[in-house]
Amino acid sequence: MSAYFFGILITFRCELASAYDFMNSFKKLANWYFSRAALPYWSILILDCMFVVFAGLLAYAVHHGSVQTLNVLGSLSITMCIFLAAFLVSFRVFHTYNGVIRYSSFSDLLRIGSAVVLAVVIGAVVLLLLGTQDWLVSFGYADIILMGLFVIAFMWTVRVWVKTIYEQSVKRPDSKKAYIFGVKTGGVALAKNIRSAEDSPYVLDGFVSSEEDMEHRILMGVKVHPFDMSLPEKMKHNKVSTLIVSPFMMDELRKNSILVDELIAEGIKILVMPHAREWDGKTDLKVADLHPVNVEDLLPREKIEVDMEAAARLLHNNVVMITGAAGSIGSEMVRQIATYSPSRMVLVDQAETPMHDIRLMMKNQWPDIKAETIVADIADKKMMERIFEEYRPEYVFHAAAYKHVPMMEDNPYEAVVNNVDGTRIIADLAVKYGTKKFVMVSTDKAVNPTNVMGCSKRICEIYVQSLDKAIKEGKVKGDTQFVTTRFGNVLGSNGSVIPIFQEQIKKGGPITVTHPDIIRFFMLIPEACKLVIEAGTMGKGGEIYVFDMGEPVKIVDLAKRMIQFSGAKDIEIKFTGLRDGEKLYEEVLNDKEITLPTFHPKIKVAKVREYEFEIVRSQISGLVNGASEDDDMQIVAKMKKIVPEFKSQHSKYQVLD
């Protein structure tokens, strides 16, 4: 008995080996075929013609029997030649043979259906015109319709079959199972890319949806799962290691931070669209364009819509100057403004290597735009005058400034020379050389400043606002409109907290946070720049625009989430105490008591005290002219006289208050 079962086992193993060898040989054959160029169009045309002839014979045999079909085979062949000619005309009209079968899509199948309908109509009309002939077989309407259905079935089946084999043959042996979050345009586009892309690292195993009516349905042959707390365990049980998120489902992902944390805790890899990009819903969406989710992607924020067409109408074919063009904000403004095709872009920054990168970017991406990349200091009045005299910019976006709070706290002279005097020089030259609009990029730290950097930017605001007022009152000759824009921290900017935390995690910690209760507002650089451009171009002059930065983020929570995302273990969070001049809480910029609404829900106008230009000019001249001789205390004391609300915090300058 045991020998009998042993023999069955040997036979079963041999059968399995034979099946495995067959499948392996079939896959090699498929790989060989699909590694070749596409079949020539005439091969596909011949194949489709064979389907037509076979479908006609089969349709006639179904209605009249095989014996009758054989008896009239000669006359039937002539009838089929008429239909074949009709199909050839129709195939030509709809180009059914020009596509690559392995890449067949719904539109290809639709063209086939349309071609068949046209062909059977042409064939039926021709037979009707010829009437009853001895050398023709009577082909009834039922025969014609059935033949058309058979042709469609044969042609569709072959194309779907070849496409399916192709999608299976191009899978990598190490491909990982993936779910796609999103069952509409974005999700389906990603699913198609996974299935058609050569050497795809993922295999579509299911969809995920937050819509109740979609749960447990079948889409593209796989199941749709609910987006709830059962998802992590379900993915783990089904050995699905990746969740790919549709660009249109990012807001839903952000709202479910607890579920995201659970997925990451289970080792699930989450792929999303880079936050600096938006998908238009039309261009190809590729999995290769996505990246693993990071803490920046999940910060609470709303999508910001701006009227960029209005800005484009103003900037197109004009000379635009951008100071600080190599910085985080300045470089993004270069990219965005370049899309509006200004006649010339004058780009100024004192950082040589980053400016070289800007030069290469303009040359490669916008070669038709005249771009002047100038390495210069905005506080160098003679150099700035040469630039204005030669290029006469019609729009100036002033983003150049020293921005780091602790650095300026230790170097108030540089804050005065670069931030204050540099702004004064650029603003005066804008008026002198007829600039239409001057847009200054400021900071939320200028609101009730507690540090030297914030105060220096507030002085800049006062100067350009009072200059605009003087022009409108006729006290200063000129036509320039001055607009100021304020916003808080931007994600990914040089020296921002997230890159610092990333570097600390790489080194094994600790992550340093100044205070357990410190909070900040965050905005994406592209979104901030869009608001700067819209506010700047829409403003009439004299406004100080503040941006609604959304919900505040607790920095210690940000650090904890970054540690979790990194997968690192035993990373310590160390509290180091507030730095010199640092606030625990930033001012709320959209307070109804201090702002007024504007043309955009995310942009408000700050209600601030107005200053007389002559008084401001005198005070700033005294500050700048004495800065080189005064010590730090004297410089800051003069700044406090200009900005009485400047109250130092955690700083040696508190003794001056």
Side-chain angles (χ1 to χ4, degrees):
M1 182 67 72
S2 60
Y4 174 73
F5 282 113
F6 182 73
I8 292 176
L9 180 61
I10 293 295
T11 303
F12 181 67
R13 289 189 62 184
C14 290
E15 292 292 335
L16 281 177
S18 299
Y20 176 80
D21 290 340
F22 172 76
M23 291 302 296
N24 197 36
S25 299
F26 179 76
K27 189 164 186 177
K28 286 181 179 178
L29 180 63
N31 288 333
W32 168 82
Y33 168 73
F34 289 120
S35 66
R36 299 165 61 86
L39 282 174
Y41 76 89
W42 53 265
S43 300
I44 300 173
L45 183 59
I46 289 174
L47 182 65
D48 291 343
C49 289
M50 291 171 61
F51 288 150
V52 170
V53 173
F54 182 69
L57 296 175
L58 183 61
Y60 192 85
V62 167
H63 275 169
H64 304 281
S66 56
V67 175
Q68 175 64 18
T69 302
L70 291 173
N71 289 336
V72 297
L73 190 58
S75 301
L76 185 59
S77 299
I78 298 174
T79 304
M80 290 313 305
C81 286
I82 294 173
F83 274 107
L84 186 58
F87 271 93
L88 285 170
V89 171
S90 188
F91 288 161
R92 174 62 180 173
V93 170
F94 288 95
H95 299 283
T96 58
Y97 49 83
N98 281 350
V100 180
I101 293 183
R102 74 186 74 167
Y103 299 126
S104 295
S105 62
F106 176 77
S107 60
D108 296 313
L109 302 184
L110 186 61
R111 281 207 313 273
I112 289 172
S114 302
V116 170
V117 170
L118 177 61
V120 296
V121 169
I122 293 173
V125 169
V126 171
L127 288 182
L128 185 63
L129 292 174
L130 290 174
T132 305
Q133 303 288 341
D134 294 338
W135 44 274
L136 284 178
V137 171
S138 178
F139 226 66
Y141 292 122
D143 299 326
I144 295 174
I145 292 172
L146 188 60
M147 179 184 69
L149 293 175
F150 280 150
V151 173
I152 290 175
F154 293 153
M155 292 177 69
W156 279 6
T157 300
V158 167
R159 282 158 174 79
V160 171
W161 183 65
V162 171
K163 183 179 176 67
T164 303
I165 293 176
Y166 171 69
E167 289 174 352
Q168 295 298 318
S169 69
V170 297
K171 285 182 183 177
R172 284 165 38 172
D174 59 344
S175 293
K176 298 174 182 176
K177 291 182 179 180
Y179 283 174
I180 292 179
F181 182 27
V183 294
K184 295 184 179 177
T185 309
V188 171
L190 286 167
K192 289 180 178 178
N193 177 252
I194 287 176
R195 286 188 167 176
S196 63
E198 294 187 20
D199 207 29
S200 174
Y202 302 105
V203 177
L204 179 64
D205 197 68
F207 284 91
V208 177
S209 177
S210 55
E211 302 173 30
E212 293 183 4
D213 61 334
M214 287 299 298
E215 292 178 10
H216 309 300
R217 292 197 176 190
I218 302 298
L219 178 63
M220 295 180 67
V222 294
K223 191 175 180 181
V224 179
H225 304 276
F227 186 64
D228 56 26
M229 294 305 295
S230 68
L231 184 62
E233 182 60 33
K234 190 173 297 180
M235 293 183 72
K236 184 179 178 182
H237 179 266
N238 294 337
K239 297 180 180 179
V240 179
S241 61
T242 306
L243 178 66
I244 301 172
V245 182
S246 162
F248 299 138
M249 300 306 297
M250 283 303 300
D251 287 340
E252 192 71 25
L253 192 73
R254 292 188 190 100
K255 292 176 186 176
N256 291 271
S257 58
I258 297 175
L259 177 53
V260 171
D261 291 341
E262 288 294 320
L263 288 167
I264 292 170
E266 290 290 348
I268 303 298
K269 182 179 179 182
I270 303 176
L271 296 180
V272 300
M273 179 73 78
H275 61 253
R277 288 181 48 193
E278 295 180 0
W279 187 52
D280 59 8
K282 299 175 183 177
T283 55
D284 289 340
L285 185 59
K286 299 178 181 178
V287 175
D289 294 334
L290 308 183
H291 74 99
V293 69
N294 57 43
V295 70
E296 299 173 49
D297 298 309
L298 298 178
L299 289 176
R301 62 185 180 89
E302 298 177 9
K303 182 177 175 61
I304 296 176
E305 300 287 352
V306 295
D307 183 8
M308 301 312 288
E309 290 185 6
R313 287 193 295 270
L314 292 175
L315 299 177
H316 180 67
N317 278 338
N318 280 311
V319 179
V320 179
M321 178 178 177
I322 301 173
T323 68
S328 305
I329 297 295
S331 60
E332 178 60 26
M333 292 183 69
V334 171
R335 280 185 281 270
Q336 292 192 16
I337 292 174
T339 61
Y340 305 137
S341 301
S343 60
R344 186 187 297 270
M345 296 184 71
V346 183
L347 312 177
V348 179
D349 202 298
Q350 60 182 335
E352 180 205 12
T353 300
M355 278 300 282
H356 178 65
D357 295 337
I358 294 294
R359 179 196 289 260
L360 293 178
M361 179 188 74
M362 292 301 299
K363 181 180 178 181
N364 294 330
Q365 297 184 28
W366 293 281
D368 296 332
I369 297 177
K370 296 176 182 177
E372 312 297 336
T373 47
I374 303 170
V375 177
D377 184 352
I378 60 169
D380 184 346
K381 187 174 181 179
K382 289 184 179 179
M383 184 62 183
M384 292 302 107
E385 177 126 28
R386 284 174 52 191
I387 293 171
F388 271 87
E389 185 177 20
E390 181 174 357
Y391 300 111
R392 298 182 181 267
E394 293 155 292
Y395 289 86
V396 172
F397 290 86
H398 179 47
Y402 287 143
K403 302 178 179 71
H404 293 286
V405 170
M407 291 296 292
M408 293 303 99
E409 208 70 9
D410 294 336
N411 300 277
Y413 170 77
E414 290 299 328
V416 169
V417 172
N418 188 80
N419 292 4
V420 178
D421 195 32
T423 298
R424 182 178 67 162
I425 289 170
I426 300 296
D428 289 347
L429 290 171
V431 175
K432 181 178 179 180
Y433 289 97
T435 296
K436 294 178 182 177
K437 191 160 289 185
F438 180 105
V439 183
M440 191 185 84
V441 176
S442 188
T443 170
D444 57 355
K445 293 175 177 61
V447 184
N448 298 326
T450 60
N451 51 66
V452 171
M453 192 282 286
C455 182
S456 71
K457 295 297 287 183
R458 177 63 190 133
I459 294 173
C460 295
E461 292 181 356
I462 291 171
Y463 185 79
V464 300
Q465 191 181 30
S466 63
L467 178 54
D468 185 272
K469 179 173 178 285
I471 291 173
K472 285 183 170 61
E473 293 174 349
K475 296 176 181 178
V476 173
K477 186 178 180 181
D479 299 307
T480 307
Q481 296 176 339
F482 288 88
V483 176
T484 298
T485 59
R486 282 183 190 161
F487 53 89
N489 303 280
V490 287
L491 297 174
S493 64
N494 296 329
S496 65
V497 66
I498 290 177
I500 292 173
F501 285 174
Q502 288 172 336
E503 191 63 29
Q504 290 174 336
I505 290 171
K506 283 181 183 178
K507 294 178 179 178
I511 285 184
T512 55
V513 179
T514 57
H515 193 282
D517 295 324
I518 194 168
I519 64 171
R520 290 292 181 264
F521 294 89
F522 289 97
M523 181 176 282
L524 298 177
I525 292 177
E527 293 176 344
C529 290
K530 285 180 180 179
L531 291 176
V532 168
I533 295 171
E534 180 169 23
T537 52
M538 295 297 102
K540 302 302 180 184
E543 304 97 339
I544 295 181
Y545 289 114
V546 295
F547 298 163
D548 182 351
M549 301 290 290
E551 295 297 320
V553 176
K554 205 169 184 179
I555 299 300
V556 68
D557 292 341
L558 185 67
K560 289 176 182 177
R561 177 166 264 193
M562 288 186 69
I563 293 171
Q564 183 187 26
F565 275 32
S566 70
K569 305 295 182 183
D570 303 321
I571 299 289
E572 177 190 1
I573 296 177
K574 183 178 179 180
F575 297 105
T576 58
L578 292 173
R579 300 174 298 175
D580 290 351
E582 187 173 40
K583 291 181 181 181
L584 190 61
Y585 308 104
E586 297 290 3
E587 300 286 344
V588 180
L589 298 181
N590 60 348
D591 192 321
K592 293 180 181 177
E593 295 180 0
I594 61 171
T595 62
L596 295 172
T598 69
F599 48 85
H600 193 288
K602 285 285 184 179
I603 303 175
K604 312 292 182 184
V605 175
K607 293 190 292 184
V608 296
R609 172 187 168 190
E610 292 186 343
Y611 294 78
E612 288 300 321
F613 178 65
E614 287 302 325
I615 297 174
V616 171
R617 180 163 62 177
S618 176
Q619 289 178 318
I620 291 179
S621 293
L623 173 66
V624 172
N625 294 338
S628 60
E629 299 176 2
D630 295 340
D631 60 19
D632 290 354
M633 283 293 180
Q634 289 175 309
I635 293 172
V636 175
K638 289 181 179 179
M639 295 176 75
K640 287 177 181 288
K641 285 183 180 179
I642 300 173
V643 185
E645 65 269 27
F646 172 24
K647 305 296 181 184
S648 299
Q649 290 186 12
H650 310 286
S651 170
K652 62 183 179 181
Y653 306 120
Q654 284 178 276
V655 297
L656 298 172
D657 295 324

